[in-house]
Amino acid sequence: MPSEEEQKEVMQRQPDLSQQSLTDFDSSELTPLSPDVISRQATLNIGTIGHVAHGKSTVVKAITGINPVKFSKEKKRNITIKLGYANAKIFKCPNCPPPQCFIPAMFNTGDQMQCKNDGCDATCKLLRHISFVDCPGHDLLMATMITGASVMDCACLLIAANETCPQPQTMEHLASIEIMKLNNIIILQNKIDIIMRDGTAPQQFDSIKDFVKGTNAENSPIIPISAQLEYNIDVICDYICRVPIPIRDFTSPPKMSIVRSFDINKPGCSPDDLQGGVVGGTLLCGVLRVGEKIEIRPGMTGKDKTTGKRRSTSVMSRVVSLRAEKNDLLYAVPGGLIAVGLKCDPSLTRDDHLNGHFLGHPGKLPEVVEEVVVKFYLLRRLLGVVSDSNKREKVSSLKKEEILLINISANSVGGKVIEKKKTMAKIQFLMPACAAVGDKITLSRKIVKNWRLIGW
């Protein structure tokens, strides 16, 4: 554990935020809305889902002020390829009427903020600190979207007002979050400014209502917005504040789902300036502290040279630093996206090598397995794929020796069906993975060179 002087030094970098301390720390006294938690770390994960080019990243930027599209390939092609992340705070003015009273702000805004509305200088109250998980909408990147869905508490379903509803990936994304049993859904009818003169917005509203009928989104609000013009952003913030924060477990050993890992050292960095690897994700339970010893499973995977069998070796390390965006933390709690700086070789975390792995206290993580027995349910028809006859194709049953793409939490791993009986199947993973009894998985099959969701 860092000394008191070291803790104070870290906290004084951002004096406007509530201070944290590990001295006499008791995790059982924390809640997701504790001032020392919500001031520095997001406690609610919100995903943006929907068809390609429907405005998911633009909505995130309008609320957070941060463009989640950060990689050169993404900027060149103007599409989201990897999961994007951005944090924001939502304040409420005591004097302004709703929805104008709900004001988004940057993640590093102090606990006290003056109202930004004209003619009002009231002090606003911090209601929520949220993390956005921006998912790609392209059909080739469905596995990436499912990875993002595994850490969501709420989803914003983007539907472009200038296109017919539903589009292929609108259907596929909605089905994915239904499988994850995600019930908090906000539907955003985006690009409303394009069709305001046509008078077709009410007709598309009816199309959306028909599309979501019988799904988890049937009773979800449908908000007309223009993300580009930042129209009705305050209404989105209003509905986000109505989403209940899930019950969090602060007392169990920490278990973190890793969705990104990277090497922050720049080319040409001197040996004295080298920093350890960094992993990003969300805590599913427990509290993670700076200075703690941790284990990452499955860790390094490969083949045993003598036996030829697959094996995995856990990565053992220590937490050097914790951050939520650029906010320094001494401890992190479940909910919200965090970055964990480790005392390990940065080559282990480079290029998302540890995506889908779990981080926690040594010996406290789920077992690494190579085979699982699952009870599966298949979709009746393929989503996001239309045949030549303009009808959705039926999903055929699993076949022995068939190769599938399996998503367990944030992990995507290939699997071979080695036994199958009615709705039960035995699947052999192509690489070791962490799994526990009762874990929910999704099944995808390669159809026309792309992985398509077929069941769970």
Side-chain angles (χ1 to χ4, degrees):
M1 186 178 78
S3 65
E4 287 193 29
E5 290 74 17
E6 291 172 327
Q7 294 179 42
K8 288 180 180 178
E9 182 183 347
V10 171
M11 290 294 99
Q12 287 307 311
R13 294 173 192 164
Q14 295 163 304
D16 292 339
L17 304 181
S18 294
Q19 303 296 292
Q20 293 183 344
S21 174
L22 294 175
T23 307
D24 300 326
F25 176 76
D26 185 359
S27 61
S28 63
E29 296 179 355
L30 293 176
T31 72
L33 297 179
S34 296
D36 52 335
V37 172
I38 195 173
S39 175
R40 292 180 175 269
Q41 182 192 338
T43 53
L44 191 70
N45 284 330
I46 299 177
T48 52
I49 61 173
H51 194 69
V52 64
H54 277 203
K56 298 180 290 297
S57 300
T58 311
V59 165
V60 173
K61 185 178 180 182
I63 296 175
T64 66
I66 299 168
N67 187 0
V69 179
K70 296 176 181 176
F71 293 89
S72 57
K73 287 184 180 179
E74 294 178 317
K75 292 178 180 178
K76 192 178 292 183
R77 298 172 61 185
N78 197 29
I79 63 169
T80 301
I81 298 174
K82 296 188 177 185
L83 291 174
Y85 307 101
N87 288 4
K89 291 180 177 179
I90 299 178
F91 290 83
K92 184 178 181 180
C93 174
N95 296 342
C96 296
Q100 290 89 348
C101 60
F102 295 95
I103 305 168
M106 292 285 286
F107 62 88
N108 55 359
T109 304
D111 297 340
Q112 302 292 324
M113 186 188 81
Q114 278 196 330
C115 181
K116 297 179 181 179
N117 294 325
D118 294 338
C120 182
D121 58 358
T123 300
C124 300
K125 179 185 177 183
L126 177 60
L127 289 189
R128 291 286 188 273
H129 193 165
I130 56 177
S131 280
F132 279 97
V133 184
D134 185 36
C135 295
H138 202 282
D139 61 341
L140 300 176
L141 303 168
M142 192 61 204
T144 305
M145 180 269 156
I146 295 174
T147 297
S150 68
V151 298
M152 293 178 192
D153 300 312
C154 168
C156 291
L157 175 61
L158 273 290
I159 299 176
N162 61 332
E163 296 183 17
T164 56
C165 177
Q167 291 292 311
Q169 270 53 63
T170 309
M171 294 186 288
E172 206 167 10
H173 285 199
L174 181 57
S176 298
I177 61 173
E178 282 197 287
I179 290 171
M180 299 293 181
K181 297 196 179 298
L182 192 62
N183 296 318
N184 296 312
I185 303 169
I186 301 171
I187 301 172
L188 305 180
Q189 188 184 17
N190 192 23
K191 305 185 183 183
I192 201 75
D193 52 307
I194 297 176
I195 64 163
M196 285 180 71
R197 294 181 180 179
D198 301 347
T200 56
Q203 295 164 3
Q204 206 221 21
F205 178 89
D206 294 335
S207 299
I208 296 172
K209 293 292 286 184
D210 292 339
F211 163 57
V212 299
K213 194 172 184 178
T215 70
N216 288 0
E218 183 172 9
N219 297 318
S220 299
I222 302 174
I223 307 172
I225 67 164
S226 171
Q228 199 72 47
L229 302 178
E230 300 187 5
Y231 173 71
N232 270 357
I233 297 301
D234 50 0
V235 181
I236 302 175
C237 294
D238 181 0
Y239 277 92
I240 287 175
C241 291
R242 301 184 194 187
V243 174
I245 294 179
I247 297 172
R248 307 293 193 189
D249 179 4
F250 290 85
T251 56
S252 297
K255 178 184 174 185
M256 175 180 169
S257 177
I258 299 174
V259 294
R260 292 290 305 276
S261 69
F262 35 88
D263 173 11
I264 60 173
N265 298 293
K266 294 181 179 179
C269 178
S270 68
D272 293 337
D273 296 329
L274 274 176
Q275 298 184 59
V278 177
V279 296
T282 189
L283 274 168
L284 305 177
C285 61
V287 176
L288 191 64
R289 303 170 180 83
V290 172
E292 287 186 321
K293 290 182 179 179
I294 59 93
E295 176 184 10
I296 297 176
R297 289 187 187 175
M300 296 179 289
T301 57
K303 279 191 176 182
D304 192 306
K305 291 182 179 179
T306 55
T307 63
K309 292 184 178 180
R310 292 181 299 271
R311 67 173 186 177
S312 64
T313 306
S314 296
V315 175
M316 309 299 290
S317 186
R318 188 181 293 275
V319 179
V320 176
S321 61
L322 290 169
R323 278 192 170 188
E325 281 280 359
K326 295 182 180 179
N327 292 346
D328 293 301
L329 308 172
L330 292 177
Y331 51 83
V333 302
L337 299 166
I338 60 170
V340 184
L342 301 173
K343 195 175 184 179
C344 71
D345 188 338
S347 66
L348 296 175
T349 60
R350 184 175 296 157
D351 296 331
D352 292 331
H353 284 174
L354 296 181
N355 273 19
H357 295 226
F358 286 102
L359 179 151
H361 286 167
K364 301 292 184 180
L365 292 171
E367 292 297 320
V368 178
V369 297
E370 294 186 9
E371 291 181 356
V372 292
V373 176
V374 300
K375 184 175 183 180
F376 65 88
Y377 303 88
L378 297 180
L379 301 172
R380 291 184 179 180
R381 295 184 180 275
L382 284 174
L383 300 172
V385 180
V386 180
S387 64
D388 295 336
S389 59
N390 211 28
K391 292 183 179 179
R392 282 186 283 161
E393 297 180 13
K394 289 185 177 180
V395 176
S396 59
S397 185
L398 301 185
K399 303 176 183 65
K400 196 173 180 181
E401 301 297 313
E402 180 181 16
I403 300 294
L404 301 171
L405 181 67
I406 314 295
N407 280 84
I408 313 171
S409 186
N411 196 7
S412 297
V413 61
K416 181 193 288 186
V417 180
I418 55 178
E419 288 182 27
K420 185 244 174 182
K421 187 176 181 181
K422 293 184 179 178
T423 59
M424 302 293 290
K426 189 175 185 179
I427 298 175
Q428 182 183 62
F429 294 148
L430 303 184
M431 293 295 287
C434 274
V437 176
D439 280 356
K440 185 176 288 292
I441 69 172
T442 61
L443 309 174
S444 301
R445 175 183 285 156
K446 190 163 254 190
I447 298 170
V448 197
K449 299 182 180 180
N450 296 329
W451 291 107
R452 295 293 182 183
L453 183 69
I454 62 166
W456 68 97

